[in-house]
Amino acid sequence: MTKNFPSKTFVVGLSLLLSGCNQSYLVLLEDHDGSTGQVIFKSNQGETVIDQAGYGANLKDPSHKAFKVDEQKIKSDFAGALASEPVLPETFLLYFETGGTQLTPESNALLPKIIETAKKHPAADISVIGHTDTVGEDRLNAKLARQRAEQVSQLFDPSQMDVKEITVTSHGEKNLLVKTGDETSEPKNRRVEVTIR
């Protein structure tokens, strides 16, 4: 028997003891990006391809006939494996009004979501990188970008959440999101990038 597991496929398999007898099955789940790979069983009885999320096959059945697995059964049977999945990193962009550390109203409204996200990450490793557009002197923009990043970093209070490390960095006007010439006011370049791991 051959089992092929594509690298991007998230597959959960577990041996179970149900109703006093051993039962082992494998179920294919959707990946974090929404894609679904496939699992191929090959034996002298033929080949079975499972390429739909929520379908599984009994590992002890030589025919490996695919069957639909109820979502509640997946949660029940594989609770331990699902709970051990790492929380994926998330990145947010916050934009600023020109020339200062005032967030735009849209970015200000995003702050509660960022804080909630940080609280979901155990021992959060948070990167906060400040940026500016190209209006003004490079030296002053580096300083302004740092001030923006430091202001945003204050959101992550270690007494309120499990924070392992906060890294604050200034890229000034050196890493533009939208490429522009010098002395160009570009709202998308006046930003702070927050990555929570």
Side-chain angles (χ1 to χ4, degrees):
M1 176 177 68
T2 301
K3 293 176 256 182
N4 296 327
F5 303 103
S7 60
K8 287 191 171 185
T9 304
F10 177 53
V11 179
V12 175
L14 191 66
S15 295
L16 302 171
L17 183 63
L18 298 174
S19 301
C21 61
N22 284 325
Q23 179 187 6
S24 296
Y25 74 99
L26 177 144
V27 63
L28 186 63
L29 301 180
E30 191 174 86
D31 207 341
H32 295 289
D33 65 1
S35 66
T36 303
Q38 62 178 212
V39 178
I40 302 171
F41 292 95
K42 294 179 182 176
S43 70
N44 56 6
Q45 295 187 16
E47 180 176 296
T48 300
V49 178
I50 299 176
D51 58 4
Q52 288 183 294
Y55 278 78
N58 189 328
L59 298 175
K60 295 187 174 182
D61 176 3
S63 72
H64 300 299
K65 184 177 179 183
F67 57 88
K68 176 78 175 156
V69 183
D70 179 73
E71 188 174 327
Q72 287 304 316
K73 181 170 177 56
I74 293 172
K75 288 180 180 176
S76 172
D77 289 348
F78 301 106
L82 293 171
S84 66
E85 278 194 288
V87 181
L88 294 178
E90 295 185 59
T91 298
F92 299 90
L93 295 178
L94 295 169
Y95 297 102
F96 291 80
E97 304 290 354
T98 187
T101 59
Q102 178 69 42
L103 285 167
T104 64
E106 295 80 12
S107 290
N108 205 41
L110 189 58
L111 297 181
K113 181 178 180 181
I114 295 173
I115 293 169
E116 283 307 307
T117 299
K119 287 180 177 178
K120 289 191 307 188
H121 285 255
D125 182 356
I126 302 170
S127 167
V128 185
I129 303 173
H131 302 266
T132 67
D133 58 23
T134 59
V135 175
E137 293 180 32
D138 181 59
R139 177 181 57 84
L140 295 177
N141 281 335
K143 183 178 179 182
L144 176 57
R146 176 122 193 134
Q147 289 172 340
R148 289 173 174 168
E150 286 176 349
Q151 176 181 296
V152 170
S153 74
Q154 300 302 311
L155 294 171
F156 309 109
D157 181 355
S159 70
Q160 301 294 316
M161 59 185 73
D162 184 11
V163 176
K164 176 184 170 191
E165 183 174 25
I166 302 174
T167 304
V168 178
T169 309
S170 169
H171 285 190
E173 60 180 63
K174 297 187 183 327
N175 188 8
L176 302 175
L177 186 62
V178 177
K179 299 297 179 195
T180 68
D182 197 19
E183 297 299 328
T184 303
S185 177
E186 170 52 57
K188 291 197 178 302
N189 289 334
R190 297 190 298 267
R191 70 195 191 280
V192 163
E193 297 175 25
V194 178
T195 303
I196 304 169
R197 298 178 189 84

